[in-house]
Amino acid sequence: MPKLASDEIQRLDPYKFMAVIGKRVIHPGGRASTAALLDRARITADSRVLDVGCGVATTAVEIARRYGAHVTAVDIAPVMLERAQANVSAAAVEERVAVAEGDILDLVYGDGAFDVVIAEAVTMFVDRQRAASELTRVTAGGGQVLATEFFWRQPPTPQAKEVFLGQVCPGLEFDTVDDWVRIYGAAGLADIDTVTGPFEMMTARGFLADEGFGHSVAVMGRVMARPAHLRKMAWLMPRMAKAVPYLGYIVVAGTKPA
Ligand SMILES: C[S@@+](CC[C@H](N)C(=O)[O-])C[C@H]1O[C@@H](n2cnc3c(N)ncnc32)[C@H](O)[C@@H]1O
């Protein structure tokens, strides 16, 4: 990956920064929410799977390895696509995971092109109703859409809300569990099931659980190796610490009627 200039690192959103320092799991519930999502997914070796906003392709690689399914992994950000392709190659699953540029609001795939469509922590950054409808459109009848989103586990203090939505993730909006069910229901999904849990991606415990000890040390090594990484981390961590007690994830799983 080309080395970013210091001012480019300062401007990265937290998720792209996580990718740049080599973090593999980049969504609110960490591996726990991916496990909850995959528990609800009906994936077999024959499934056509689409992972939208795939980030560095950690879940796409896991699906290819675990189920032997073919996965199309799309993201809008070049920095994520580069990382995703490198991770797919390192995992030697190029034959089962195709990485491509794609926009959740305007997918290039035909109606009903996939059996299982996944979007972990993506819909919440964009026009959620349009994104949910687009995910549902490319899902075959009888197939599933499964998504992970943020929600407030408990009402945030005004300071926590301002720090997270105003500074860490400007433009992000939150919905309640009922709102997410309504949004995906209005997109055309039935039998909607939800599961919620805490945000642990940036706690010490969650970081270690998601990345493993050896890889956590490697990520921290990359942070220490550049003053620009250290400055970004020093800006991010105290802000995250204010919001973490109030943050949670929700996994929404629904079926497109046949
Ligand atoms: C929080 S990260 C989640 C990455 C990945 N799904 C994961 O769970 O590790 C959000 C991802 O959505 C991507 N993204 C944002 N807007 C998008 C859009 N309009 N279409 C496709 N991907 C988008 C970002 O580039 C980023 O990779």
Side-chain angles (χ1 to χ4, degrees):
M1 183 190 290
K3 193 175 168 187
L4 298 175
S6 298
D7 60 324
E8 291 175 303
I9 290 167
Q10 293 314 308
R11 287 198 302 271
L12 288 174
D13 69 39
Y15 298 104
K16 293 195 188 86
F17 177 61
M18 291 297 132
V20 165
I21 60 175
K23 198 172 185 315
R24 292 175 177 148
V25 180
I26 312 179
H27 55 254
R31 289 198 193 265
S33 69
T34 300
L37 185 150
L38 292 179
D39 279 351
R40 285 158 179 76
R42 297 185 291 272
I43 303 177
T44 68
D46 295 328
S47 302
R48 298 160 300 167
V49 179
L50 177 67
D51 184 0
V52 182
C54 65
V56 299
T58 302
T59 299
V61 168
E62 183 177 347
I63 290 170
R65 279 185 164 160
R66 197 198 296 187
Y67 305 97
H70 279 87
V71 187
T72 303
V74 305
D75 203 285
I76 204 165
V79 66
M80 294 300 197
L81 291 167
E82 277 177 37
R83 281 272 155 190
Q85 192 57 65
N87 288 338
V88 167
S89 301
V93 290
E94 296 101 320
E95 287 187 3
R96 275 174 280 142
V97 180
V99 176
E101 187 180 352
D103 182 350
I104 194 171
L105 297 175
D106 190 16
L107 295 167
V108 296
Y109 309 103
D111 297 358
F114 296 94
D115 303 303
V116 176
V117 175
I118 290 169
E120 289 180 288
V122 192
T123 311
M124 60 193 189
F125 289 106
V126 297
D127 177 337
R128 48 253 290 123
Q129 191 61 68
R130 190 168 149 200
S133 298
E134 193 61 353
L135 296 174
T136 307
R137 180 186 68 74
V138 298
T139 304
Q144 288 177 291
V145 175
L146 303 111
T148 308
E149 315 287 359
F150 266 124
F151 83 116
W152 295 118
R153 298 189 81 207
Q154 55 175 318
T157 60
Q159 188 198 30
K161 191 170 175 181
E162 192 283 321
V163 163
F164 195 69
L165 297 183
Q167 300 180 36
V168 177
C169 290
L172 182 63
E173 286 175 33
F174 274 40
D175 289 294
T176 63
V177 173
D178 288 345
D179 285 334
W180 282 117
V181 170
R182 184 183 46 71
I183 288 166
Y184 281 99
L189 298 180
D191 302 330
I192 295 177
D193 174 28
T194 61
V195 59
T196 63
F199 175 96
E200 289 207 324
M201 187 182 104
M202 296 298 287
T203 63
R205 193 176 70 161
F207 202 103
L208 276 171
D210 285 348
E211 306 297 330
F213 181 74
H215 191 66
S216 295
V217 171
V219 171
M220 292 322 292
R222 262 178 232 121
V223 172
M224 307 297 254
R226 272 195 78 178
H229 290 172
L230 271 173
R231 275 198 301 279
K232 182 81 175 177
M233 213 54 171
W235 182 88
L236 190 57
M237 291 312 284
R239 287 167 175 77
M240 287 304 304
K242 288 199 170 71
V244 161
Y246 308 97
L247 290 171
Y249 73 82
I250 170 171
V251 171
V252 185
T255 298
K256 182 168 173 177

